[in-house]
């Protein structure tokens, strides 16, 4: 809205509040939650599972977890992007139509897109978004993998200092190479 109105941030917020009320700031909130849920499921759930599965099933190709992580991130990124893109497109249209002249809500917007433009309009811009999501899922998956390795090493050191044999949670299976970028 700020670009559309050509106002400062404060002036834009004040204008929207005065013209459309407090709840206008929540337009597109449900589609945004759906989009973020699929994205989060991709980087926290799908990418690590795919990377681990590739590492276990194809150890010659994916012995190095870095390569498995890149591949898992690409697969999860494409899946998360393609599943959430129509909802993200609807969210953008809903938020842009703050006057409520064309789009009333998520179902109305997706129905309108489907009946007026079909499948292609719902995926307009999907390639660029897909590439962005693959990159971000790779970064987040790599950070997650490093954090898990750090945790495993920390727990093992703590157990060794206490004289116990119980280390961490065996997050890496024996023989796997824990190399991430």
């Amino acid at each position: 809205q700020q670009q559309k109105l050509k106002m400062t941030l404060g002036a834009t917020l004040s204008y929207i509040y005065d013209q459309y009320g407090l709840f206008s700031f929540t337009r597109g909130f449900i589609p945004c939650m759906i989009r973020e849920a699929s994205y989060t499921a991709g980087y926290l759930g799908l990418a690590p599972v795919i990377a681990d599965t590739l590492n276990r099933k194809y150890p010659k190709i994916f012995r190095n977890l870095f390569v498995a992580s890149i591949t898992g991130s690409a697969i999860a990124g494409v899946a998360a992007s393609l599943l959430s893109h129509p909802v993200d497109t609807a969210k953008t249209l809903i938020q842009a139509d703050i006057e409520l002249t064309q789009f009333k809500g998520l179902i109305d917007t997706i129905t309108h897109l489907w009946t007026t433009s079909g499948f292609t309009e719902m995926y307009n811009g999907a390639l660029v978004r897909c590439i962005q999501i693959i990159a971000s899922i790779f970064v987040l998956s790599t950070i997650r993998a490093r954090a898990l390795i750090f945790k495993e090493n920390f727990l093992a050191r703590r157990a060794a200092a206490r004289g116990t044999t119980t280390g961490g949670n065996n997050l890496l299976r024996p023989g796997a190479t824990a190399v991430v970028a």
Side-chain angles (χ1 to χ4, degrees):
Q1 297 300 324
Q2 186 179 3
Q3 287 178 320
K4 198 180 197 182
L5 296 170
K6 297 181 179 163
M7 296 179 176
T8 65
L9 178 60
T12 302
L13 293 172
S14 179
Y15 174 82
I16 291 171
Y17 177 75
D18 292 342
Q19 293 295 313
Y20 307 106
L22 183 62
F23 288 106
S24 64
F25 292 107
T26 65
R27 287 208 28 91
F29 188 69
I30 298 296
C32 184
M33 288 190 321
I34 293 169
R35 179 197 65 190
E36 293 304 315
S38 69
Y39 172 72
T40 303
Y43 81 80
L44 283 179
L46 196 56
V49 169
I50 292 171
D52 183 58
T53 301
L54 292 172
N55 182 262
R56 279 186 289 112
K57 288 195 175 201
Y58 308 101
K60 289 182 181 179
I61 301 170
F62 297 105
R63 180 170 175 80
N64 183 317
L65 291 180
F66 177 72
V67 175
S69 182
I70 289 174
T71 308
S73 297
I75 294 167
V78 169
S81 180
L82 293 179
L83 285 172
S84 66
H85 197 76
V87 174
D88 189 48
T89 301
K91 177 203 69 75
T92 303
L93 293 171
I94 290 167
Q95 289 175 331
D97 183 32
I98 198 162
E99 299 88 8
L100 295 167
T101 58
Q102 192 171 9
F103 304 110
K104 306 299 181 223
L106 178 60
I107 302 299
D108 176 60
T109 306
I110 289 178
T111 303
H112 174 80
L113 281 172
W114 185 262
T115 56
T116 59
S117 306
F119 181 79
T120 55
E121 187 66 26
M122 294 175 76
Y123 282 93
N124 193 15
L127 178 61
V128 172
R129 186 164 175 269
C130 193
I131 292 168
Q132 290 171 332
I133 289 178
I134 289 170
S136 63
I137 285 179
F138 173 70
V139 169
L140 292 169
S141 294
T142 301
I143 291 170
R144 179 187 172 277
R146 285 184 178 258
L148 290 174
I149 291 167
F150 175 82
K151 176 186 172 190
E152 181 73 18
N153 291 337
F154 173 80
L155 293 174
R157 282 192 306 272
R158 187 170 71 179
R162 290 180 178 172
T164 61
T165 58
T166 310
N169 297 329
N170 292 326
L171 298 170
L172 298 174
R173 64 179 186 80
T177 308
V179 178
V180 289

